[in-house]
Amino acid sequence: METTMNTKKYPPKHMGTMMGHVQPTAFENALKQFEAAAKVIKLTDNQIAVIKEPRRVTEVKLPVRMDDGRIEVFQGFRVHHNIARGPAKGGIRFHPDVTVDEVKALAFWMTYKCAVVNIPMGGGKGGVVVDPSKLSLGELERLARRYMAEMIDLFGPDRDVPAPDVNTGPMVMAWMMDTYSMHFRNFVPSVITGKPLELGGSKGRAAATAQGMVICVREAAKKLNLDLKGATVAIQGYGNAGSNAAKLLREDGCKIVAISDIGGGFYNHEQGIDPDVAIEYVREHKTLKDFERSANVRAYQDPMELLQEPVDILIPAALENQITDSNAPFVKPKIIAECANGPCTFEADAILDKNGVFIIPDILCNAGGVTVSYLEWVQNRMGYYWEADKVQQDLERIMVSAFQDVYDTSQKFNVNMRIAAFIIAIERVTKASEMRGLYA
Ligand code: NAD
């Protein structure tokens, strides 16, 4: 029997040298954001020590039998950043570029995201170094089940409740829930969220991240006196978050002028792009590759050009570190709505601020996903399921109130929306940690 390590080399995403200098890693970027907010509210060294770094970082090797009989060993991670306010909550990413640094950053952002929208959960995140497009359905299922089985003691409705992230969706959640349930000889839907509706998923979860983002964009537009009717939009990333964002913003009257994904970037400034046509194309072809051959769009030579479109609203909905100090001077939309986690580096923020770009930060902007995940968890624990309008109402109430809190805090401390969001979140996490005290 042949056993191979999954040691394929991919270009490092975070260490990319652009214009000759090394960009910060996602976790370095996260810590800079934290430190800037901690300084404003004069957090003490003791307070910082308790809530800054992740509490637990787990790395596993996941042997999976491939269809041809080989065993391939994948590398997996689960990070618990902070669980003072409730069980760890955060998605599981399947991507070839996953690193422990990235998972630590994503878990960090989950802690503060849950605190910004004030849901009673902490921060966690997981990842597997894998390119799932190269796996068969059976291989994907065995990898998903192995991931859950290998770290089953970490998970649980009151311990750590994962969810989907890049390249994982309801099907993967169903397999993981089944694996957990088989081990405990119980039906335990509340161990994971983002499940199919038939297995205890919540109505409204699939589009929740984009819904939450649109609620934030509407609030931001009011503050900036921007009419969404006819406002132009560019979206990087056309998966769950990006494609739903396109649909929902079009319903608000916006014109989607540019979209991109791993297959390429495309634009039509005059007539705009029909989001449904693009969604159908991706359903059929997996990515937007060659979209210009069947739709009325033109392809960018370099899809990163999309970020420099002079649009009203720019939505990064792909991966981290897309807008750095190298390209930030050329990125000039009125609003950046961060559907992705960590798309702008700390250094880019300073440049964007100077250019008057209004950033709705990730820990607020994409919190609709975890908010409806929380509502899913609540429904699972009650065993009683709500209609879509009840979920939508709760999401709207939570997001509008969080946006207003962050906006007011930014005015009060004269800081940007990101620092304001961290100020609110850090204060909540610190308070909870101090009230609990140190055990033993
Ligand atoms: P997804 O896997 O459904 O989609 C990811 C998209 O990004 C795909 O279209 C992919 O082709 C594209 N992409 C990858 N690399 C790219 C590149 N270099 N340039 C352009 N496009 C690229 O994932 P998703 O769930 O939509 O997540 C997208 C982002 O939103 C991630 O940062 C994720 O952490 C964040 N997010 C998602 C949720 C959620 O509920 N799905 C919640 C909060 C935050």
Side-chain angles (χ1 to χ4, degrees):
M1 174 196 311
E2 194 190 343
T3 305
T4 53
M5 281 289 290
N6 184 41
T7 52
K8 293 180 194 115
K9 290 275 178 286
Y10 295 90
K13 182 176 60 213
H14 311 298
M15 306 287 193
T17 49
M18 292 176 78
M19 311 231 326
H21 72 105
V22 175
Q23 294 296 339
T25 68
F27 192 55
E28 283 165 357
N29 191 35
L31 292 185
K32 284 184 196 167
Q33 297 170 343
F34 176 92
E35 280 153 12
K39 199 162 146 200
V40 176
I41 50 173
K42 300 187 175 56
L43 225 55
T44 65
D45 288 347
N46 275 349
Q47 288 171 324
I48 290 174
V50 173
I51 66 168
K52 186 171 160 184
E53 295 278 340
R55 282 300 176 84
R56 191 200 296 246
V57 179
T58 307
E59 178 180 343
V60 288
K61 297 281 186 254
L62 305 169
V64 173
R65 185 164 314 272
M66 308 305 277
D67 289 348
D68 62 6
R70 278 180 312 118
I71 291 175
E72 191 158 341
V73 182
F74 296 89
Q75 193 177 19
F77 304 101
R78 186 73 189 168
V79 173
H80 292 170
H81 177 265
N82 186 288
I83 50 167
R85 302 179 68 257
K89 187 88 195 78
I92 299 170
R93 177 174 294 191
F94 283 5
H95 195 281
D97 290 343
V98 163
T99 61
V100 69
D101 177 281
E102 177 183 59
V103 183
K104 278 164 68 177
L106 292 164
F108 167 95
W109 284 316
M110 285 308 298
T111 297
Y112 297 107
K113 190 182 303 181
C114 292
V116 171
V117 285
N118 213 1
I119 59 173
M121 304 196 109
K125 201 80 183 190
V128 177
V129 186
V130 60
D131 181 352
S133 70
K134 304 220 162 81
L135 300 184
S136 70
L137 201 62
E139 290 165 346
L140 183 67
E141 175 174 356
R142 292 193 287 280
L143 175 60
R145 288 185 182 279
R146 187 73 199 199
Y147 180 91
M148 172 53 80
E150 199 70 49
M151 290 185 281
I152 203 147
D153 294 337
L154 293 181
F155 297 112
D158 293 308
R159 271 187 206 152
D160 179 355
V161 185
D165 193 74
V166 174
N167 290 328
T168 55
M171 189 72 251
V172 169
M173 300 303 108
W175 289 323
M176 290 186 176
M177 189 277 277
D178 179 68
T179 305
Y180 187 91
S181 295
M182 293 307 290
H183 274 257
F184 287 89
R185 296 279 180 262
N186 267 327
F187 179 59
V188 195
S190 53
V191 70
I192 203 160
T193 59
K195 301 178 295 293
L197 280 179
E198 295 80 356
L199 289 174
S202 175
K203 289 191 174 147
R205 175 62 184 90
T209 302
Q211 284 276 9
M213 178 277 297
V214 171
I215 293 167
C216 288
V217 166
R218 283 185 200 139
E219 296 304 303
K222 282 186 219 159
K223 305 284 182 209
L224 302 176
N225 282 326
L226 172 70
D227 189 356
L228 288 183
K229 294 242 165 352
T232 52
V233 178
I235 304 176
Q236 183 199 43
Y238 212 68
N240 173 294
S243 66
N244 279 306
K247 271 178 85 126
L248 291 169
L249 284 173
R250 208 250 316 248
E251 284 168 20
D252 273 15
C254 297
K255 182 156 109 179
I256 316 301
V257 297
I259 57 173
S260 71
D261 76 359
I262 197 74
F266 306 88
Y267 62 93
N268 182 332
H269 297 136
E270 295 75 34
Q271 281 130 333
I273 299 171
D274 184 336
D276 293 321
V277 171
I279 288 170
E280 201 40 52
Y281 187 89
V282 172
R283 192 168 291 143
E284 200 178 322
H285 302 271
K286 304 257 191 279
T287 74
L288 288 168
K289 190 170 183 305
D290 299 328
F291 188 44
E292 78 279 16
R293 293 196 191 153
S294 58
N296 183 19
V297 295
R298 300 186 65 183
Y300 293 108
Q301 266 196 330
D302 176 357
M304 288 294 278
E305 285 174 52
L306 174 144
L307 299 172
Q308 297 175 24
E309 286 285 359
V311 285
D312 293 311
I313 304 162
L314 173 66
I315 303 180
L319 298 170
E320 306 90 62
N321 284 15
Q322 298 301 299
I323 303 173
T324 66
D325 55 354
S326 302
N327 60 353
F330 313 103
V331 177
K332 294 185 176 169
K334 292 197 176 79
I335 296 173
I336 293 181
E338 294 184 335
C339 255
N341 289 303
C344 299
T345 64
F346 187 72
E347 288 73 18
D349 272 4
I351 298 167
L352 296 165
D353 278 351
K354 211 167 89 212
N355 288 339
V357 180
F358 186 92
I359 302 178
I360 311 172
D362 48 8
I363 61 170
L364 169 66
C365 191
N366 68 35
V370 75
T371 299
V372 177
S373 270
Y374 160 62
L375 299 177
E376 178 176 333
W377 178 78
V378 170
Q379 292 169 78
N380 292 152
R381 295 173 76 107
M382 288 191 299
Y384 181 77
Y385 290 85
W386 298 326
E387 289 305 323
D389 56 353
K390 157 80 176 140
V391 175
Q392 178 64 29
Q393 274 166 18
D394 282 9
L395 174 65
E396 178 100 23
R397 175 179 50 77
I398 291 170
M399 293 303 299
V400 168
S401 143
F403 184 95
Q404 196 56 48
D405 286 351
V406 173
Y407 186 80
D408 292 346
T409 304
S410 79
Q411 302 289 303
K412 180 175 161 195
F413 288 95
N414 195 22
V415 293
N416 65 27
M417 291 284 283
R418 188 181 318 282
I419 302 303
F422 271 105
I423 287 174
I424 293 174
I426 289 174
E427 282 181 336
R428 286 184 180 148
V429 176
T430 302
K431 209 165 198 166
S433 298
E434 290 182 342
M435 289 172 102
R436 285 182 69 156
L438 293 185
Y439 170 74

